[in-house]
Amino acid sequence: MNRLYLVTDSDVARKAGHTLPFVVEEACRAGVRWVQLREKELSTRAFLELGAEIKQITQAYGANLIINDRVDVALALDADGVHVGQGDMPYSMVRTLIGPDKIIGLSINNLAELQAIAGAQLDYLGIATIFPTGTKQDTSSLLGLDGLQQLCRQTSLPTFAIGGINAQNIQQVMQTGVTGAAVVSAICGHPSPYEASREMIELLNDRMIE
């Protein structure tokens, strides 16, 4: 399983002077093979149009396209899977809708949420939030590295950490036993999404060699 996971943010990309398709293509060109399209503000039509453009890119590079929350969009695009949060459609219902062969990821924020999914038909977990981010000002729910490590020890599912992860701390994150790292601003907001992705992939590969 490729260990670097791009979660998109159009606003962050725009502020850095990029279009989202440009960011995704540059990340995939660098070796990213997991892309989650997360667009909370777009209309359904705009989401579908953007998703179709992103899917052409991910397919060209053999990357997984995961749609955040919107099962209808994932079905319409025939995406590789769906990622849902604790307040989204229940994952059991998502599985019924998208079938047994698609990928389902679920966000986990604490031990109670992890314990509640015992035996669930999930493919991976997104564990949040590790470090402070520009979009999360409330630090009371931050897991930190110790909290991340504790959750990773309690599950056999693949796990992706998310929240404030960048080239400076990604190797520390991987020391917790997590499967991979999901990043937003560190790629979408970087002057060169390609260079940012390549650097983090190299850091992950160095960690594997160690």
Side-chain angles (χ1 to χ4, degrees):
M1 178 177 284
N2 192 286
R3 288 149 47 101
L4 186 62
Y5 189 141
L6 169 63
V7 179
T8 69
D9 189 314
S10 289
D11 288 338
V12 172
R14 192 177 303 114
K15 288 173 183 175
H18 309 311
T19 66
L20 202 59
F22 171 79
V23 170
V24 171
E25 177 136 29
E26 290 294 275
C28 288
R29 188 166 70 88
V32 169
R33 293 297 177 263
W34 286 84
V35 176
Q36 182 184 139
L37 187 58
R38 184 171 68 181
E39 297 297 327
K40 299 289 189 181
E41 308 301 325
L42 290 183
S43 68
T44 298
R45 181 182 292 273
F47 199 158
L48 284 168
E49 290 173 351
L50 178 61
E53 189 173 359
I54 298 299
K55 183 182 175 182
Q56 286 187 323
I57 298 167
T58 56
Q59 278 191 319
Y61 288 93
N64 291 305
L65 175 60
I66 308 298
I67 303 298
N68 179 270
D69 181 18
R70 297 289 302 272
V71 179
D72 57 336
V73 172
L75 286 169
L77 293 172
D78 192 24
D80 297 294
V82 181
H83 185 94
V84 290
Q86 293 293 318
D88 297 328
M89 182 184 290
Y91 54 82
S92 56
M93 205 170 288
V94 175
R95 177 61 73 197
T96 299
L97 289 169
I98 69 172
D101 299 325
K102 297 292 187 180
I103 299 166
I104 300 181
L106 176 70
S107 294
I108 293 290
N109 305 283
N110 53 55
L111 184 58
E113 291 174 357
L114 180 60
Q115 292 172 335
I117 63 163
Q121 291 185 326
L122 293 165
D123 296 288
Y124 74 87
L125 302 176
I127 300 182
T129 302
I130 313 308
F131 303 116
T133 72
T135 57
K136 188 176 181 66
Q137 304 302 323
D138 176 17
T139 59
S140 63
S141 62
L142 292 178
L143 287 170
L145 295 174
D146 289 342
L148 172 61
Q149 185 173 52
Q150 289 174 14
L151 290 182
C152 288
R153 287 175 174 172
Q154 299 292 320
T155 181
S156 59
L157 287 170
T159 50
F160 288 93
I162 188 169
I165 299 172
N166 53 43
Q168 285 67 52
N169 58 35
I170 196 167
Q171 287 191 322
Q172 289 177 284
V173 169
M174 298 308 297
Q175 290 173 9
T176 65
V178 72
T179 306
V183 299
V184 186
S185 299
I187 293 178
C188 292
H190 195 278
S192 172
Y194 173 82
E195 292 296 341
S197 301
R198 189 173 68 172
E199 180 183 11
M200 283 185 281
I201 288 171
E202 287 176 353
L203 288 167
L204 290 173
N205 289 340
D206 287 346
R207 180 65 197 159
M208 289 179 71
I209 292 170
E210 292 174 9

